[in-house]
Amino acid sequence: MLHSEVIEQTVAFVKETLIGAEGGHDWFHIERVYKNALRIAKDENVDPFIVALGALLHDIADSKFHNGDETVGPQKAKEFLTALEVAPEVIDHVVKIINNISFKGGNTKQQFKSPELDVIQDADRLDAIGAIGIARCFNYGGFKNRGLYDPEIAPNLSMSKEEYKNSEAPTINHFYEKLLLLKDRMNTETGSRLAHNRHIYMEGYLKQFYDEWNGVV
């Protein structure tokens, strides 16, 4: 099967699988990450086929929506690509990307590295910051019935992976525990450049948020 046909079928599979998904982790999130990954990949020495498949399948079954089970996504992707008779080495690479792309609190050492993962990780992180990142953050906070902000609950910057996964802190805390950290954790020059403006936007948003909270404006 041609690479273009595999990608076309993968798009259809992801769209169907994510019908009804939480708004920050739906098909449109995948589509944005996919487009950003292709954009970043133009400036990197990577396999575009692996970048495309990894980006499209990176959140096919996010563990947050499967009782914390991190094996569901990689297994689902592996079964799908195997059915399409994709080369085993490509499947193995995509599975490793899915297993290693997420932030997981920022204190967990990544077990696998590749230029393709670097590109997709940057694309995924870009969608977590800026205007869309803010919208996704509050959408997920609402989905989990979390408070917006509580001045008495300070952000925890030294969480373990399990603490991060199980945190019930207000949504604003997530800016400090993840979103504001991402600018300095980008892997590629293009990713860093794109993250810069989104980071500044978030800083401006937080200033406005606190000013309104405190009745300054």
Side-chain angles (χ1 to χ4, degrees):
M1 186 181 295
L2 295 174
H3 285 183
S4 59
E5 294 174 332
V6 172
I7 292 171
E8 183 179 338
Q9 291 203 33
T10 303
V11 167
F13 171 68
V14 175
K15 281 184 176 181
E16 181 179 359
T17 301
L18 296 182
I19 290 174
E22 182 267 329
H25 298 81
D26 58 5
W27 159 249
F28 294 112
H29 163 62
I30 302 297
E31 184 178 42
R32 291 189 302 269
V33 171
Y34 175 57
K35 289 179 177 179
N36 275 332
L38 295 183
R39 178 182 183 183
I40 296 170
K42 291 178 181 179
D43 299 323
E44 303 295 323
N45 183 21
V46 293
D47 184 329
F49 185 51
I50 291 175
V51 168
L53 292 180
L56 288 169
L57 293 166
H58 82 278
D59 258 352
I60 194 61
D62 191 305
S63 63
K64 288 192 291 294
F65 308 104
H66 291 82
N67 299 314
D69 190 342
E70 298 178 4
T71 67
V72 179
Q75 185 60 34
K76 185 171 288 191
K78 182 177 181 179
E79 290 173 358
F80 171 74
L81 294 176
T82 300
L84 293 184
E85 299 183 346
V86 173
E89 62 272 18
V90 172
I91 296 175
D92 180 64
H93 196 156
V94 171
V95 167
K96 287 178 178 175
I97 287 171
I98 297 171
N99 275 323
N100 288 273
I101 191 171
S102 68
F103 184 74
K104 297 178 181 175
N107 297 308
T108 302
K109 187 175 181 180
Q110 198 166 287
Q111 300 299 312
F112 171 76
K113 287 286 289 182
S114 76
E116 289 78 12
L117 171 57
D118 285 347
V119 166
I120 299 166
Q121 192 171 59
D122 277 8
D124 190 38
R125 289 176 172 179
L126 283 173
D127 206 53
I129 59 179
I132 288 176
I134 291 170
R136 292 182 66 216
C137 188
F138 282 105
N139 192 82
Y140 185 71
F143 177 80
K144 299 293 286 186
N145 197 32
R146 293 176 179 169
L148 296 179
Y149 172 54
D150 185 338
E152 299 299 318
I153 302 177
N156 183 354
L157 303 182
S158 58
M159 284 187 286
S160 67
K161 176 181 172 180
E162 288 305 311
E163 287 175 326
Y164 180 79
K165 287 171 62 175
N166 297 319
S167 174
E168 297 180 354
T171 296
I172 282 292
N173 288 31
H174 194 59
F175 282 76
Y176 301 94
E177 294 166 352
K178 177 182 178 181
L179 308 191
L180 293 172
L181 305 178
L182 295 180
K183 175 180 68 70
D184 295 326
R185 301 190 184 194
M186 304 299 281
N187 303 298
T188 68
E189 183 177 336
T190 301
S192 296
R193 176 172 53 79
L194 295 172
H196 179 74
N197 288 338
R198 299 189 187 207
H199 182 88
I200 291 174
Y201 185 90
M202 289 193 300
E203 290 181 324
Y205 171 81
L206 286 171
K207 181 181 183 306
Q208 180 73 15
F209 181 95
Y210 293 129
D211 283 350
E212 292 181 14
W213 186 276
N214 295 312
V216 176
V217 295

